[in-house]
Amino acid sequence: MTETAVAKVDHSDGISTSPEGTQRTQSVLREIRRLTRRYRMQAMPFAAIGATHGIGAVAAALDPPEALLPVAAGWTASAGIYGYVHRNASRWDRLYACVAAGSSAGWQAALALAGANGVTAGLMWAFGAALSIPWWVRHAEPEPDVTAELAAPPQPREALPVAPGTADRQLKLWNEHIAANGKPLPGSALDGITEFAYGWKATVTLAIGEHWHTTLQARKSILSVYDLPDGRVFVEAMHGESVRKSRLTVLTSDPLQQKNHWNGPGLDPATGKFPLMIAADGEPLHFKLWNPGAGALHALISGVTRSGKTKVLDVVLTEASMSDRVYPLVIDGGGGASLPQWRERANLFAGTPEQAREVLRYTLRLIERRRPVVERQGGGSLEPSPELPLVPVVIDEAHKLLMSDDETDNRDIVRMCEQITQEGAKFGVCLILATQVPSVKQLGNSTALRDQVKAGTIVGLRITEKGSGNMIDTGDPMPEHLKDLPAEFPDGSSTHGLGYMMTSRKIRARALLLENPAEQPVTPTGLDPDSAAEPVPALNTAKKPAETAPPRRSSGPTAEDIDATVREAIAAGTEPAVDELMRDTGLAMTQVRAALKRI
Ligand SMILES: Nc1ncnc2c1ncn2[C@@H]1O[C@H](COP(=O)(O)OP(=O)(O)OP(=O)(O)O)[C@@H](O)[C@H]1O
């Protein structure tokens, strides 16, 4: 017998651990995990009935007054569970939890008095089962068809050699309907076909004289040849290879159709990035907060209402606030209604335009505070660390704060944002904006802001207007316009979070979903001593816009506000020169000039 044929034996207990045995155990464990995940909601009533029975049995076995103890503990637990549901769940769940917790408390007492093995226990199980029915009906999910999945051996995500015959079929179809003369890509070759969990990948090489953009244009024909619905074929550049080559991904099933839940912090301090989206081939796409050695990165997240922008910001803010090297500041352009979960959790939270101005001015002053730090380290850019954290200013509904109209003059906010994006990166300060459309118009018509943000990370979710994706068409052509992203998947579920991240991969992806960021812990992070010396604006005392609204311009600063800001800056040591005052106050040149004249 050869050595490899001998099953490994664990001599400590004599259990055979042959590879087949391990595989079987792993697949049983996987199946148990899958069933637990899938049926956890359905199993909840059984857990509650079992706990009620257990408490009743313990109490019945004890004599008074000790018997009171398990009942008291059970009642407290019932009240606690109800209290938790009351705070966190919908009205239906609250009502259900109220009835269930009340019944459980009643049955605990009944079992304690009448004994836990007789008719009372039977009645209690019958009552519990009846009460479970509305729960099961409400939480019933359509059972996915897993017959094929169960019949086939489990497939790991990474590429596998294709089963004989499968590649032949793909190749035959390609050669007959795509690469033949008179077909969309005559003379093209399909190589290196490999299967993965959701389909197959290959390399396409076009005939001499052709460019891979032609393969991109042939996507619809490829879909038709392989008989697939829209959105299942992706063609990507192979950077560093011949322009004739491209990577083809063909999905036989769509992993984006399911929600992909965020499952724990993933920010890597060595690279400054964390997984934010899952691409159509199941690979993660990373959001970069900073570039090691090159400073902080700005970002733009855009998409129509209900496309999932705020949820993307929730993931970004959770990763930031769980890291000991990030100190996030939050501005909610939606008047505090967009990111309410961050009101208490962010280091600073601005819910009104006036508070937003305060936070932006403060951010500009932090940049100034950090100038000597960069000088002390001899130039370059600051590397985020627990002693010197990255300061991202996250602005949701940024278009509301950046766009001006007849009623509102927000040019000072645009100017401050421009300044932060132009100067902040090397001082570890960045701007992360969320707008409805990735257009320069929504950035207050500031091409400076657009150019800076474009150099960072762009996440484009679904939009509805054609000509608006002008910040997205950078580098390689997009496989599809954001406007063409579907609002619903074929099964009728919404496509929230579906879009593209402008990384080296231009492939459809879906953002990870974090249902409730408030459940995640926050890592206390302090600013570096230079930044910490800057007085923090007292936002809680900031007036609401309604109280400050001047008659003509609802949220622009009044002349008195501007004069007061300029006076304060001069009193704090800023030279009374226009440039210096613009830098320290974030005010526009005309505003500073007018204020200096008035003062
Ligand atoms: N990645 C995702 N996966 C699955 N569902 C998501 C995802 N992102 C968001 N959703 C769901 O979509 C809905 C809308 O999300 P969200 O509030 O983030 O949208 P929005 O673009 O910020 O909308 P608005 O502009 O109206 O604030 C939410 O109910 C959320 O649960």
Side-chain angles (χ1 to χ4, degrees):
M1 212 188 288
T2 63
E3 204 181 311
T4 46
V6 180
K8 279 189 221 148
V9 173
D10 180 343
H11 293 287
S12 58
D13 56 12
I15 294 170
S16 166
T17 55
S18 68
E20 297 82 52
T22 318
Q23 256 182 17
R24 233 191 336 271
T25 318
Q26 279 174 352
S27 75
V28 169
L29 287 176
R30 239 194 324 270
E31 183 58 8
I32 292 175
R33 271 202 301 273
R34 187 185 73 80
L35 288 174
T36 315
R37 258 200 314 271
R38 166 139 183 75
Y39 291 108
R40 63 185 189 281
M41 290 309 276
Q42 282 82 349
M44 260 184 200
F46 286 120
I49 303 169
T52 306
H53 196 170
I55 292 164
V58 173
L62 296 171
D63 290 323
E66 285 94 318
L68 287 176
L69 278 178
V71 175
W75 283 23
T76 313
S78 303
I81 289 169
Y82 173 68
Y84 176 81
V85 175
H86 185 84
R87 265 194 314 129
N88 295 289
S90 66
R91 194 191 283 189
W92 189 94
D93 286 328
R94 279 189 219 167
L95 183 65
Y96 187 89
C98 180
V99 174
S103 316
S104 170
W107 282 107
Q108 287 163 32
L111 292 172
L113 293 172
N117 296 322
V119 180
T120 322
L123 285 174
M124 189 268 301
W125 276 91
F127 177 86
L131 190 58
S132 306
I133 292 170
W135 176 269
W136 289 326
V137 170
R138 185 170 166 85
H139 292 97
E141 287 170 29
E143 173 70 62
D145 184 4
V146 291
T147 339
E149 209 180 299
L150 290 177
Q155 298 196 6
R157 271 190 172 182
E158 61 272 15
L160 295 171
V162 190
T166 316
D168 292 349
R169 190 177 158 270
Q170 323 296 20
L171 206 53
K172 189 165 174 287
L173 286 171
W174 185 275
N175 290 337
E176 278 175 14
H177 300 286
I178 295 178
N181 274 344
K183 300 293 177 190
L185 304 173
S188 61
L190 189 71
D191 304 304
I193 303 176
T194 48
E195 242 185 321
F196 66 105
Y198 311 109
W200 53 275
K201 293 182 187 193
T203 303
V204 177
T205 310
L206 296 181
I208 290 181
E210 295 289 342
H211 191 282
W212 73 272
H213 287 182
T214 316
T215 315
L216 191 63
Q217 285 154 11
R219 260 175 17 259
K220 287 186 178 151
S221 308
I222 301 173
L223 278 170
S224 160
V225 167
Y226 292 104
D227 222 0
L228 292 165
D230 268 329
R232 295 285 183 87
V233 165
F234 299 93
V235 178
E236 295 171 85
M238 289 176 70
H239 295 289
E241 299 269 352
S242 157
V243 291
R244 290 195 283 139
K245 287 192 171 194
S246 56
R247 177 160 47 163
L248 176 73
T249 304
V250 178
L251 300 179
T252 45
S253 66
D254 187 354
L256 305 182
Q257 206 154 318
Q258 302 121 35
K259 291 179 180 172
N260 292 298
H261 289 274
W262 180 86
N263 55 7
L267 176 59
D268 176 3
T271 59
K273 56 188 191 178
F274 58 85
L276 181 77
M277 299 182 102
I278 296 292
D281 60 357
E283 296 295 323
L285 298 183
H286 290 84
F287 183 96
K288 263 191 173 188
L289 278 173
W290 70 89
N291 242 341
L297 283 169
H298 310 297
L300 177 75
I301 294 139
S302 61
V304 283
T305 294
R306 312 295 291 159
S307 60
K309 316 179 280 301
T310 306
K311 282 284 164 202
V312 169
L313 288 186
D314 276 340
V315 172
V316 173
L317 277 166
T318 302
E319 291 279 358
S321 61
M322 289 179 85
S323 164
D324 63 355
R325 54 192 73 205
V326 187
Y327 188 89
L329 310 179
V330 175
I331 296 176
D332 185 345
S338 258
L339 289 169
Q341 313 236 35
W342 294 96
R343 186 177 283 281
E344 305 299 330
R345 294 159 61 78
N347 296 299
L348 271 183
F349 181 95
T352 66
E354 277 323 308
Q355 291 177 346
R357 288 184 166 87
E358 291 277 346
V359 170
L360 293 171
R361 276 183 212 121
Y362 171 71
T363 309
L364 286 167
R365 296 198 296 270
L366 289 187
I367 293 175
E368 289 313 309
R369 291 275 181 182
R370 286 186 168 184
R371 261 180 221 282
V373 188
V374 171
E375 276 162 24
R376 281 204 295 277
Q377 77 165 27
S381 52
L382 298 178
E383 201 66 16
S385 68
E387 294 73 39
L388 208 149
L390 178 91
V391 180
V393 183
V394 176
I395 313 185
D396 196 8
E397 306 277 0
H399 50 284
K400 293 189 181 159
L401 292 173
L402 293 169
M403 290 168 79
S404 298
D405 55 26
D406 293 345
E407 296 292 312
T408 316
D409 182 0
N410 284 335
R411 283 172 300 177
D412 59 323
I413 295 188
V414 174
R415 209 151 293 114
M416 284 191 274
C417 289
E418 282 173 356
Q419 226 177 321
I420 292 170
T421 52
Q422 283 162 348
E423 299 180 18
K426 69 191 245 186
F427 301 103
V429 176
C430 62
L431 208 57
I432 299 177
L433 306 172
T435 61
Q436 286 198 327
V437 175
S439 70
V440 71
K441 187 173 170 209
Q442 296 234 319
L443 299 180
N445 281 321
S446 165
T447 48
L449 197 49
R450 178 200 60 193
D451 293 346
Q452 292 298 328
V453 172
K454 224 171 162 174
T457 310
I458 298 191
V459 176
L461 304 178
R462 200 172 70 83
I463 54 176
T464 44
E465 293 298 319
K466 178 97 185 164
S468 50
N470 66 358
M471 292 185 67
I472 299 292
D473 47 21
T474 66
D476 299 329
M478 286 287 288
E480 62 193 325
H481 198 285
L482 295 180
K483 176 186 141 299
D484 298 331
L485 285 167
E488 284 185 354
F489 287 112
D491 67 358
S493 59
S494 295
T495 59
H496 304 301
L498 191 69
Y500 283 79
M501 176 142 51
M502 302 302 124
T503 60
S504 58
R505 300 203 60 195
K506 290 247 173 97
I507 184 164
R508 234 192 227 190
R510 191 167 189 191
L512 295 174
L513 175 65
L514 171 56
E515 300 275 8
N516 189 1
E519 281 172 1
Q520 304 305 321
V522 170
T523 302
T525 309
L527 282 172
D528 49 296
D530 295 80
S531 305
E534 183 60 44
V536 180
L539 297 182
N540 294 342
T541 59
K543 286 185 210 146
K544 297 212 164 53
E547 294 163 47
T548 55
R552 281 169 295 112
R553 296 197 179 277
S554 61
S555 55
T558 60
E560 290 91 306
D561 289 341
I562 295 170
D563 293 355
T565 308
V566 170
R567 258 195 223 102
E568 261 172 43
I570 294 173
T574 303
E575 287 291 313
V578 177
D579 284 2
E580 300 279 315
L581 285 166
M582 278 170 64
R583 196 191 59 217
D584 285 3
T585 60
L587 291 170
M589 186 186 283
T590 46
Q591 292 173 318
V592 173
R593 285 217 173 110
L596 283 175
K597 265 192 205 150
R598 286 193 295 267
I599 296 171

